[in-house]
Amino acid sequence: SPIATRVRPPPSMAGPEDDRWERERDADDEMNKRIRRETGAAPHMMGFSALHPPGRGMPFFDRPVPGPGHLARGMPMGPMGGVRPPGPMMPQMPRIPVGGGMMVPGMFPPAPGGFGPGPPGRGRAQAGQNDYCQHFVDTAERPQNFVRKSSLAERFIEYPTKRELIDRKDQLIEKRATPPLHMQCDLRTLELSPRTLGTRFDVILVDPPWEEYERRAPGVAMESWAWQDIMNLKLEDIADTPSFVFLWCGCAEGLDAGRHCLRKWGFRRCEDICWLKTNKDKSNRNNQPDEWQILQRSKEHCLMGIKGTVRRNADGHIIHANVDTDVLVSEQPPYGSTEKPEEMYHIIEHFVQGRRRLELFGEDRNIRRGWVTLGRSLSSTNFNAEAYAAYFKSDKPHRDHNGKPTPDAPQLVGTTPEIEQLRPRSPTARTVSQALPTPPSAVAEEIVEWLAPKEGDNPEDA
């Protein structure tokens, strides 16, 4: 077989070919030592092809592992049809494009045909690949650590138009922001109502102390709420129409419980923002296992809900869609901390044009211009309901016939001609109907209509 490896024959089958077998095995051992000496990598990490020219065997490996051969990945088969277990990860070295593959300093030049690096005369070799999953197993360093230009400062360097849009929006948001207001209170007993807070709100950010947070940091004293207690908060009484809610829900029971909370508060889920937590700091690489988890958890979710009806192409004074993405990449907080990435504030402020912003379960680090922060962990209070409501008072109503705020409503941030020219445009309803297939709801209605009994049908034939 062209893929068979050299295995010492049993004594009963020994013959004149044994000396030749020994010489070839010694030659293979010498080649393996040379590869390790020149590259510092195991031979199987070099991407050797399982097929070799006739008369030339494969590198000899011991300690076979029975199992299916990884021929598609170019990994050599061990004796008895097994596959040698993966060895140490190849050191991270800069890769230089050469021919059809990637070349690492110290590796052999590409084999003829452009299949990547390989030793001369040993057949074609497949290009080496970075195995981030194996790297995580070896070092506990998460794959998202290698996402480039993920910070806010670097993200739009190559996109000057997007960078200008973000800068202009941030300047306008800062100009129209209310002073940072906060109130130390117990949300279990505080009455959430316009009478207590002075007004209804356009956007509400909720970061509740889920029981999951307490489970993943044993030994740290922290407050935790059952999801039923979180659902009992009266957000429906302080949310205007239209309005939005952003609910951090962890990555365990909160994913299901959060949807029940949105439904009870009068919101319907419209987006799911995912936070990929990096652990570039080595002190963040010891995760405490959770009894709920099956896989290694390295992310959290924030559910976004909408109350009322908002059309992207017609209500540009209420929302600015498609400015940001639904993925965050930032460093995981220290052990026991539930701090969330600051970028979530930017996403909310870029999207929601309302100025009345409320955060629940906030701490001192969450105090921010343009926001009202409520929480038990706050160290002081400067909130006054009447003074806050005065920022949005007007002598005339600012509602259209559908109950939506008009573009000149005082609770809106507003816009400028430059922002309107730069921001992404949503497709019109006619364009969407022409570009998209029949929606699932319409298909379901056609199926129900087709299955309904017709006049003259025999019930026994149904």
Side-chain angles (χ1 to χ4, degrees), residues 256-287:
D256 291 327
R259 286 166 168 80
H260 290 286
C261 294
L262 294 184
R263 190 177 303 111
K264 185 263 181 182
W265 297 335
F267 292 84
R268 61 184 185 278
R269 190 195 69 83
C270 57
E271 286 290 351
D272 183 349
I273 301 173
C274 184
W275 171 30
L276 301 180
K277 298 187 287 186
T278 61
N279 62 346
K280 298 178 182 179
D281 185 354
K282 292 184 179 181
S283 63
N284 283 340
R285 296 182 187 176
N286 295 323
N287 291 339

PDB file of all heavy atoms in Angstrom, residues 256-287:
ATOM      1  N   ASP A 256     -32.494  31.836  28.279  1.00  0.00           N
ATOM      2  CA  ASP A 256     -33.928  31.529  28.208  1.00  0.00           C
ATOM      3  C   ASP A 256     -34.734  32.469  29.095  1.00  0.00           C
ATOM      4  O   ASP A 256     -35.778  32.976  28.684  1.00  0.00           O
ATOM      5  CB  ASP A 256     -34.180  30.077  28.624  1.00  0.00           C
ATOM      6  CG  ASP A 256     -33.634  29.082  27.612  1.00  0.00           C
ATOM      7  OD1 ASP A 256     -33.647  29.406  26.404  1.00  0.00           O
ATOM      8  OD2 ASP A 256     -33.202  27.997  28.024  1.00  0.00           O
ATOM      9  N   ALA A 257     -34.249  32.694  30.322  1.00  0.00           N
ATOM     10  CA  ALA A 257     -34.992  33.563  31.243  1.00  0.00           C
ATOM     11  C   ALA A 257     -35.068  34.987  30.716  1.00  0.00           C
ATOM     12  O   ALA A 257     -36.073  35.677  30.925  1.00  0.00           O
ATOM     13  CB  ALA A 257     -34.335  33.537  32.620  1.00  0.00           C
ATOM     14  N   GLY A 258     -34.028  35.449  30.022  1.00  0.00           N
ATOM     15  CA  GLY A 258     -34.051  36.803  29.486  1.00  0.00           C
ATOM     16  C   GLY A 258     -35.175  37.017  28.499  1.00  0.00           C
ATOM     17  O   GLY A 258     -35.782  38.105  28.453  1.00  0.00           O
ATOM     18  N   ARG A 259     -35.485  36.018  27.707  1.00  0.00           N
ATOM     19  CA  ARG A 259     -36.589  36.145  26.749  1.00  0.00           C
ATOM     20  C   ARG A 259     -37.933  36.224  27.461  1.00  0.00           C
ATOM     21  O   ARG A 259     -38.829  36.947  27.021  1.00  0.00           O
ATOM     22  CB  ARG A 259     -36.560  34.972  25.771  1.00  0.00           C
ATOM     23  CG  ARG A 259     -35.428  35.082  24.747  1.00  0.00           C
ATOM     24  CD  ARG A 259     -35.187  33.777  24.015  1.00  0.00           C
ATOM     25  NE  ARG A 259     -34.318  33.965  22.857  1.00  0.00           N
ATOM     26  CZ  ARG A 259     -33.007  34.069  22.904  1.00  0.00           C
ATOM     27  NH1 ARG A 259     -32.393  34.019  24.071  1.00  0.00           N
ATOM     28  NH2 ARG A 259     -32.288  34.228  21.798  1.00  0.00           N
ATOM     29  N   HIS A 260     -38.074  35.494  28.555  1.00  0.00           N
ATOM     30  CA  HIS A 260     -39.305  35.621  29.355  1.00  0.00           C
ATOM     31  C   HIS A 260     -39.419  37.022  29.951  1.00  0.00           C
ATOM     32  O   HIS A 260     -40.516  37.588  30.012  1.00  0.00           O
ATOM     33  CB  HIS A 260     -39.311  34.563  30.463  1.00  0.00           C
ATOM     34  CG  HIS A 260     -39.482  33.159  29.982  1.00  0.00           C
ATOM     35  ND1 HIS A 260     -40.695  32.667  29.526  1.00  0.00           N
ATOM     36  CD2 HIS A 260     -38.596  32.148  29.863  1.00  0.00           C
ATOM     37  CE1 HIS A 260     -40.542  31.404  29.166  1.00  0.00           C
ATOM     38  NE2 HIS A 260     -39.274  31.059  29.353  1.00  0.00           N
ATOM     39  N   CYS A 261     -38.295  37.575  30.389  1.00  0.00           N
ATOM     40  CA  CYS A 261     -38.319  38.932  30.948  1.00  0.00           C
ATOM     41  C   CYS A 261     -38.750  39.949  29.897  1.00  0.00           C
ATOM     42  O   CYS A 261     -39.593  40.815  30.169  1.00  0.00           O
ATOM     43  CB  CYS A 261     -36.945  39.290  31.504  1.00  0.00           C
ATOM     44  SG  CYS A 261     -36.415  38.330  32.942  1.00  0.00           S
ATOM     45  N   LEU A 262     -38.183  39.866  28.701  1.00  0.00           N
ATOM     46  CA  LEU A 262     -38.550  40.807  27.639  1.00  0.00           C
ATOM     47  C   LEU A 262     -40.038  40.723  27.338  1.00  0.00           C
ATOM     48  O   LEU A 262     -40.710  41.744  27.152  1.00  0.00           O
ATOM     49  CB  LEU A 262     -37.741  40.513  26.381  1.00  0.00           C
ATOM     50  CG  LEU A 262     -36.218  40.744  26.450  1.00  0.00           C
ATOM     51  CD1 LEU A 262     -35.594  40.501  25.080  1.00  0.00           C
ATOM     52  CD2 LEU A 262     -35.895  42.143  26.923  1.00  0.00           C
ATOM     53  N   ARG A 263     -40.550  39.511  27.276  1.00  0.00           N
ATOM     54  CA  ARG A 263     -41.973  39.347  26.948  1.00  0.00           C
ATOM     55  C   ARG A 263     -42.858  39.938  28.042  1.00  0.00           C
ATOM     56  O   ARG A 263     -43.866  40.587  27.758  1.00  0.00           O
ATOM     57  CB  ARG A 263     -42.271  37.855  26.758  1.00  0.00           C
ATOM     58  CG  ARG A 263     -43.652  37.570  26.173  1.00  0.00           C
ATOM     59  CD  ARG A 263     -43.861  36.089  25.941  1.00  0.00           C
ATOM     60  NE  ARG A 263     -42.836  35.532  25.072  1.00  0.00           N
ATOM     61  CZ  ARG A 263     -41.902  34.677  25.462  1.00  0.00           C
ATOM     62  NH1 ARG A 263     -41.850  34.282  26.736  1.00  0.00           N
ATOM     63  NH2 ARG A 263     -41.016  34.197  24.615  1.00  0.00           N
ATOM     64  N   LYS A 264     -42.472  39.725  29.292  1.00  0.00           N
ATOM     65  CA  LYS A 264     -43.275  40.266  30.398  1.00  0.00           C
ATOM     66  C   LYS A 264     -43.229  41.788  30.428  1.00  0.00           C
ATOM     67  O   LYS A 264     -44.209  42.460  30.768  1.00  0.00           O
ATOM     68  CB  LYS A 264     -42.773  39.673  31.707  1.00  0.00           C
ATOM     69  CG  LYS A 264     -43.615  40.059  32.933  1.00  0.00           C
ATOM     70  CD  LYS A 264     -43.020  41.220  33.677  1.00  0.00           C
ATOM     71  CE  LYS A 264     -43.819  41.607  34.890  1.00  0.00           C
ATOM     72  NZ  LYS A 264     -43.264  42.781  35.595  1.00  0.00           N
ATOM     73  N   TRP A 265     -42.092  42.382  30.064  1.00  0.00           N
ATOM     74  CA  TRP A 265     -41.947  43.839  30.074  1.00  0.00           C
ATOM     75  C   TRP A 265     -42.579  44.505  28.855  1.00  0.00           C
ATOM     76  O   TRP A 265     -42.580  45.735  28.768  1.00  0.00           O
ATOM     77  CB  TRP A 265     -40.473  44.208  30.133  1.00  0.00           C
ATOM     78  CG  TRP A 265     -39.787  43.756  31.388  1.00  0.00           C
ATOM     79  CD1 TRP A 265     -40.358  43.517  32.602  1.00  0.00           C
ATOM     80  CD2 TRP A 265     -38.384  43.479  31.550  1.00  0.00           C
ATOM     81  NE1 TRP A 265     -39.418  43.112  33.521  1.00  0.00           N
ATOM     82  CE2 TRP A 265     -38.191  43.078  32.898  1.00  0.00           C
ATOM     83  CE3 TRP A 265     -37.278  43.527  30.714  1.00  0.00           C
ATOM     84  CZ2 TRP A 265     -36.937  42.731  33.406  1.00  0.00           C
ATOM     85  CZ3 TRP A 265     -36.021  43.191  31.213  1.00  0.00           C
ATOM     86  CH2 TRP A 265     -35.858  42.791  32.546  1.00  0.00           C
ATOM     87  N   GLY A 266     -43.088  43.735  27.927  1.00  0.00           N
ATOM     88  CA  GLY A 266     -43.740  44.313  26.749  1.00  0.00           C
ATOM     89  C   GLY A 266     -42.820  44.535  25.574  1.00  0.00           C
ATOM     90  O   GLY A 266     -43.170  45.308  24.659  1.00  0.00           O
ATOM     91  N   PHE A 267     -41.665  43.869  25.554  1.00  0.00           N
ATOM     92  CA  PHE A 267     -40.713  44.002  24.457  1.00  0.00           C
ATOM     93  C   PHE A 267     -40.676  42.702  23.653  1.00  0.00           C
ATOM     94  O   PHE A 267     -40.976  41.624  24.174  1.00  0.00           O
ATOM     95  CB  PHE A 267     -39.311  44.311  24.988  1.00  0.00           C
ATOM     96  CG  PHE A 267     -39.162  45.663  25.615  1.00  0.00           C
ATOM     97  CD1 PHE A 267     -39.521  45.869  26.942  1.00  0.00           C
ATOM     98  CD2 PHE A 267     -38.660  46.731  24.888  1.00  0.00           C
ATOM     99  CE1 PHE A 267     -39.385  47.112  27.535  1.00  0.00           C
ATOM    100  CE2 PHE A 267     -38.512  47.979  25.473  1.00  0.00           C
ATOM    101  CZ  PHE A 267     -38.885  48.171  26.794  1.00  0.00           C
ATOM    102  N   ARG A 268     -40.285  42.804  22.420  1.00  0.00           N
ATOM    103  CA  ARG A 268     -40.016  41.621  21.604  1.00  0.00           C
ATOM    104  C   ARG A 268     -38.542  41.648  21.201  1.00  0.00           C
ATOM    105  O   ARG A 268     -37.998  42.698  20.844  1.00  0.00           O
ATOM    106  CB  ARG A 268     -40.912  41.576  20.365  1.00  0.00           C
ATOM    107  CG  ARG A 268     -40.746  42.733  19.406  1.00  0.00           C
ATOM    108  CD  ARG A 268     -41.751  42.648  18.254  1.00  0.00           C
ATOM    109  NE  ARG A 268     -41.544  43.681  17.257  1.00  0.00           N
ATOM    110  CZ  ARG A 268     -41.981  44.920  17.348  1.00  0.00           C
ATOM    111  NH1 ARG A 268     -42.677  45.272  18.417  1.00  0.00           N
ATOM    112  NH2 ARG A 268     -41.734  45.794  16.392  1.00  0.00           N
ATOM    113  N   ARG A 269     -37.910  40.501  21.258  1.00  0.00           N
ATOM    114  CA  ARG A 269     -36.477  40.433  20.969  1.00  0.00           C
ATOM    115  C   ARG A 269     -36.233  40.691  19.488  1.00  0.00           C
ATOM    116  O   ARG A 269     -36.883  40.125  18.626  1.00  0.00           O
ATOM    117  CB  ARG A 269     -35.921  39.065  21.342  1.00  0.00           C
ATOM    118  CG  ARG A 269     -34.398  39.002  21.293  1.00  0.00           C
ATOM    119  CD  ARG A 269     -33.905  37.571  21.300  1.00  0.00           C
ATOM    120  NE  ARG A 269     -34.231  36.900  20.059  1.00  0.00           N
ATOM    121  CZ  ARG A 269     -33.522  36.984  18.944  1.00  0.00           C
ATOM    122  NH1 ARG A 269     -32.436  37.732  18.904  1.00  0.00           N
ATOM    123  NH2 ARG A 269     -33.898  36.339  17.861  1.00  0.00           N
ATOM    124  N   CYS A 270     -35.259  41.554  19.205  1.00  0.00           N
ATOM    125  CA  CYS A 270     -34.949  41.862  17.808  1.00  0.00           C
ATOM    126  C   CYS A 270     -33.476  41.648  17.471  1.00  0.00           C
ATOM    127  O   CYS A 270     -33.136  41.548  16.286  1.00  0.00           O
ATOM    128  CB  CYS A 270     -35.350  43.300  17.469  1.00  0.00           C
ATOM    129  SG  CYS A 270     -34.592  44.568  18.507  1.00  0.00           S
ATOM    130  N   GLU A 271     -32.590  41.589  18.472  1.00  0.00           N
ATOM    131  CA  GLU A 271     -31.176  41.346  18.215  1.00  0.00           C
ATOM    132  C   GLU A 271     -30.565  40.604  19.395  1.00  0.00           C
ATOM    133  O   GLU A 271     -31.117  40.589  20.503  1.00  0.00           O
ATOM    134  CB  GLU A 271     -30.404  42.666  17.989  1.00  0.00           C
ATOM    135  CG  GLU A 271     -30.654  43.334  16.655  1.00  0.00           C
ATOM    136  CD  GLU A 271     -30.069  42.576  15.477  1.00  0.00           C
ATOM    137  OE1 GLU A 271     -29.311  41.599  15.712  1.00  0.00           O
ATOM    138  OE2 GLU A 271     -30.353  42.947  14.333  1.00  0.00           O
ATOM    139  N   ASP A 272     -29.409  39.989  19.145  1.00  0.00           N
ATOM    140  CA  ASP A 272     -28.644  39.299  20.181  1.00  0.00           C
ATOM    141  C   ASP A 272     -27.184  39.710  20.004  1.00  0.00           C
ATOM    142  O   ASP A 272     -26.526  39.292  19.056  1.00  0.00           O
ATOM    143  CB  ASP A 272     -28.808  37.782  20.045  1.00  0.00           C
ATOM    144  CG  ASP A 272     -28.077  37.020  21.148  1.00  0.00           C
ATOM    145  OD1 ASP A 272     -27.299  37.644  21.878  1.00  0.00           O
ATOM    146  OD2 ASP A 272     -28.295  35.802  21.263  1.00  0.00           O
ATOM    147  N   ILE A 273     -26.688  40.560  20.893  1.00  0.00           N
ATOM    148  CA  ILE A 273     -25.317  41.039  20.819  1.00  0.00           C
ATOM    149  C   ILE A 273     -24.424  40.083  21.606  1.00  0.00           C
ATOM    150  O   ILE A 273     -24.736  39.732  22.750  1.00  0.00           O
ATOM    151  CB  ILE A 273     -25.205  42.467  21.374  1.00  0.00           C
ATOM    152  CG1 ILE A 273     -26.109  43.406  20.571  1.00  0.00           C
ATOM    153  CG2 ILE A 273     -23.765  42.962  21.343  1.00  0.00           C
ATOM    154  CD1 ILE A 273     -26.190  44.806  21.135  1.00  0.00           C
ATOM    155  N   CYS A 274     -23.335  39.646  20.993  1.00  0.00           N
ATOM    156  CA  CYS A 274     -22.442  38.662  21.598  1.00  0.00           C
ATOM    157  C   CYS A 274     -21.115  39.322  21.961  1.00  0.00           C
ATOM    158  O   CYS A 274     -20.503  39.992  21.130  1.00  0.00           O
ATOM    159  CB  CYS A 274     -22.225  37.493  20.635  1.00  0.00           C
ATOM    160  SG  CYS A 274     -21.238  36.157  21.338  1.00  0.00           S
ATOM    161  N   TRP A 275     -20.692  39.108  23.191  1.00  0.00           N
ATOM    162  CA  TRP A 275     -19.416  39.629  23.678  1.00  0.00           C
ATOM    163  C   TRP A 275     -18.424  38.473  23.760  1.00  0.00           C
ATOM    164  O   TRP A 275     -18.574  37.561  24.574  1.00  0.00           O
ATOM    165  CB  TRP A 275     -19.613  40.285  25.044  1.00  0.00           C
ATOM    166  CG  TRP A 275     -18.332  40.657  25.742  1.00  0.00           C
ATOM    167  CD1 TRP A 275     -17.151  41.017  25.165  1.00  0.00           C
ATOM    168  CD2 TRP A 275     -18.116  40.719  27.163  1.00  0.00           C
ATOM    169  NE1 TRP A 275     -16.205  41.295  26.124  1.00  0.00           N
ATOM    170  CE2 TRP A 275     -16.759  41.121  27.355  1.00  0.00           C
ATOM    171  CE3 TRP A 275     -18.928  40.486  28.270  1.00  0.00           C
ATOM    172  CZ2 TRP A 275     -16.223  41.276  28.631  1.00  0.00           C
ATOM    173  CZ3 TRP A 275     -18.381  40.639  29.536  1.00  0.00           C
ATOM    174  CH2 TRP A 275     -17.052  41.041  29.711  1.00  0.00           C
ATOM    175  N   LEU A 276     -17.392  38.492  22.905  1.00  0.00           N
ATOM    176  CA  LEU A 276     -16.311  37.514  22.941  1.00  0.00           C
ATOM    177  C   LEU A 276     -15.254  38.018  23.906  1.00  0.00           C
ATOM    178  O   LEU A 276     -14.636  39.061  23.673  1.00  0.00           O
ATOM    179  CB  LEU A 276     -15.715  37.315  21.546  1.00  0.00           C
ATOM    180  CG  LEU A 276     -16.681  36.827  20.461  1.00  0.00           C
ATOM    181  CD1 LEU A 276     -15.946  36.676  19.141  1.00  0.00           C
ATOM    182  CD2 LEU A 276     -17.315  35.507  20.859  1.00  0.00           C
ATOM    183  N   LYS A 277     -15.027  37.266  24.968  1.00  0.00           N
ATOM    184  CA  LYS A 277     -14.112  37.704  26.021  1.00  0.00           C
ATOM    185  C   LYS A 277     -12.716  37.135  25.774  1.00  0.00           C
ATOM    186  O   LYS A 277     -12.535  35.915  25.730  1.00  0.00           O
ATOM    187  CB  LYS A 277     -14.644  37.253  27.393  1.00  0.00           C
ATOM    188  CG  LYS A 277     -15.990  37.867  27.732  1.00  0.00           C
ATOM    189  CD  LYS A 277     -16.421  37.550  29.141  1.00  0.00           C
ATOM    190  CE  LYS A 277     -16.854  36.118  29.284  1.00  0.00           C
ATOM    191  NZ  LYS A 277     -17.406  35.845  30.634  1.00  0.00           N
ATOM    192  N   THR A 278     -11.758  38.025  25.601  1.00  0.00           N
ATOM    193  CA  THR A 278     -10.376  37.599  25.433  1.00  0.00           C
ATOM    194  C   THR A 278      -9.728  37.396  26.798  1.00  0.00           C
ATOM    195  O   THR A 278     -10.210  37.906  27.813  1.00  0.00           O
ATOM    196  CB  THR A 278      -9.584  38.639  24.631  1.00  0.00           C
ATOM    197  OG1 THR A 278      -9.588  39.888  25.350  1.00  0.00           O
ATOM    198  CG2 THR A 278     -10.213  38.863  23.263  1.00  0.00           C
ATOM    199  N   ASN A 279      -8.642  36.637  26.813  1.00  0.00           N
ATOM    200  CA  ASN A 279      -7.873  36.442  28.050  1.00  0.00           C
ATOM    201  C   ASN A 279      -6.384  36.575  27.763  1.00  0.00           C
ATOM    202  O   ASN A 279      -5.585  35.680  28.058  1.00  0.00           O
ATOM    203  CB  ASN A 279      -8.201  35.092  28.695  1.00  0.00           C
ATOM    204  CG  ASN A 279      -7.842  33.917  27.791  1.00  0.00           C
ATOM    205  OD1 ASN A 279      -7.582  34.087  26.594  1.00  0.00           O
ATOM    206  ND2 ASN A 279      -7.819  32.724  28.345  1.00  0.00           N
ATOM    207  N   LYS A 280      -6.010  37.705  27.166  1.00  0.00           N
ATOM    208  CA  LYS A 280      -4.599  37.964  26.890  1.00  0.00           C
ATOM    209  C   LYS A 280      -3.801  38.085  28.185  1.00  0.00           C
ATOM    210  O   LYS A 280      -2.621  37.753  28.222  1.00  0.00           O
ATOM    211  CB  LYS A 280      -4.468  39.238  26.056  1.00  0.00           C
ATOM    212  CG  LYS A 280      -5.148  39.145  24.695  1.00  0.00           C
ATOM    213  CD  LYS A 280      -5.034  40.452  23.920  1.00  0.00           C
ATOM    214  CE  LYS A 280      -5.763  40.362  22.584  1.00  0.00           C
ATOM    215  NZ  LYS A 280      -5.683  41.628  21.821  1.00  0.00           N
ATOM    216  N   ASP A 281      -4.441  38.563  29.232  1.00  0.00           N
ATOM    217  CA  ASP A 281      -3.814  38.603  30.546  1.00  0.00           C
ATOM    218  C   ASP A 281      -3.807  37.178  31.121  1.00  0.00           C
ATOM    219  O   ASP A 281      -4.851  36.552  31.264  1.00  0.00           O
ATOM    220  CB  ASP A 281      -4.580  39.549  31.467  1.00  0.00           C
ATOM    221  CG  ASP A 281      -3.916  39.726  32.819  1.00  0.00           C
ATOM    222  OD1 ASP A 281      -2.922  39.025  33.085  1.00  0.00           O
ATOM    223  OD2 ASP A 281      -4.402  40.552  33.613  1.00  0.00           O
ATOM    224  N   LYS A 282      -2.639  36.659  31.443  1.00  0.00           N
ATOM    225  CA  LYS A 282      -2.523  35.264  31.896  1.00  0.00           C
ATOM    226  C   LYS A 282      -3.290  35.006  33.186  1.00  0.00           C
ATOM    227  O   LYS A 282      -3.669  33.868  33.465  1.00  0.00           O
ATOM    228  CB  LYS A 282      -1.050  34.900  32.079  1.00  0.00           C
ATOM    229  CG  LYS A 282      -0.267  34.853  30.778  1.00  0.00           C
ATOM    230  CD  LYS A 282       1.160  34.390  31.013  1.00  0.00           C
ATOM    231  CE  LYS A 282       1.922  34.322  29.691  1.00  0.00           C
ATOM    232  NZ  LYS A 282       3.319  33.860  29.886  1.00  0.00           N
ATOM    233  N   SER A 283      -3.516  36.048  33.991  1.00  0.00           N
ATOM    234  CA  SER A 283      -4.264  35.845  35.230  1.00  0.00           C
ATOM    235  C   SER A 283      -5.727  35.533  34.987  1.00  0.00           C
ATOM    236  O   SER A 283      -6.436  35.121  35.901  1.00  0.00           O
ATOM    237  CB  SER A 283      -4.142  37.087  36.118  1.00  0.00           C
ATOM    238  OG  SER A 283      -4.715  38.225  35.484  1.00  0.00           O
ATOM    239  N   ASN A 284      -6.221  35.724  33.736  1.00  0.00           N
ATOM    240  CA  ASN A 284      -7.620  35.458  33.407  1.00  0.00           C
ATOM    241  C   ASN A 284      -7.813  34.113  32.732  1.00  0.00           C
ATOM    242  O   ASN A 284      -8.849  33.870  32.132  1.00  0.00           O
ATOM    243  CB  ASN A 284      -8.163  36.547  32.468  1.00  0.00           C
ATOM    244  CG  ASN A 284      -8.471  37.833  33.203  1.00  0.00           C
ATOM    245  OD1 ASN A 284      -8.642  37.827  34.424  1.00  0.00           O
ATOM    246  ND2 ASN A 284      -8.520  38.933  32.481  1.00  0.00           N
ATOM    247  N   ARG A 285      -6.839  33.209  32.832  1.00  0.00           N
ATOM    248  CA  ARG A 285      -6.931  31.946  32.093  1.00  0.00           C
ATOM    249  C   ARG A 285      -7.310  30.761  32.957  1.00  0.00           C
ATOM    250  O   ARG A 285      -7.189  29.618  32.531  1.00  0.00           O
ATOM    251  CB  ARG A 285      -5.599  31.669  31.393  1.00  0.00           C
ATOM    252  CG  ARG A 285      -5.270  32.719  30.348  1.00  0.00           C
ATOM    253  CD  ARG A 285      -3.975  32.432  29.628  1.00  0.00           C
ATOM    254  NE  ARG A 285      -3.630  33.551  28.754  1.00  0.00           N
ATOM    255  CZ  ARG A 285      -2.503  33.633  28.052  1.00  0.00           C
ATOM    256  NH1 ARG A 285      -1.632  32.651  28.107  1.00  0.00           N
ATOM    257  NH2 ARG A 285      -2.272  34.688  27.296  1.00  0.00           N
ATOM    258  N   ASN A 286      -7.748  31.010  34.165  1.00  0.00           N
ATOM    259  CA  ASN A 286      -8.201  29.931  35.045  1.00  0.00           C
ATOM    260  C   ASN A 286      -9.698  30.078  35.249  1.00  0.00           C
ATOM    261  O   ASN A 286     -10.157  30.760  36.158  1.00  0.00           O
ATOM    262  CB  ASN A 286      -7.461  29.978  36.391  1.00  0.00           C
ATOM    263  CG  ASN A 286      -5.979  29.716  36.230  1.00  0.00           C
ATOM    264  OD1 ASN A 286      -5.580  28.902  35.413  1.00  0.00           O
ATOM    265  ND2 ASN A 286      -5.163  30.418  37.006  1.00  0.00           N
ATOM    266  N   ASN A 287     -10.474  29.446  34.367  1.00  0.00           N
ATOM    267  CA  ASN A 287     -11.924  29.550  34.447  1.00  0.00           C
ATOM    268  C   ASN A 287     -12.477  28.552  35.454  1.00  0.00           C
ATOM    269  O   ASN A 287     -12.075  27.384  35.472  1.00  0.00           O
ATOM    270  CB  ASN A 287     -12.564  29.293  33.077  1.00  0.00           C
ATOM    271  CG  ASN A 287     -12.269  30.400  32.092  1.00  0.00           C
ATOM    272  OD1 ASN A 287     -11.936  31.510  32.497  1.00  0.00           O
ATOM    273  ND2 ASN A 287     -12.381  30.110  30.814  1.00  0.00           N
TER     274      ASN A 287
END
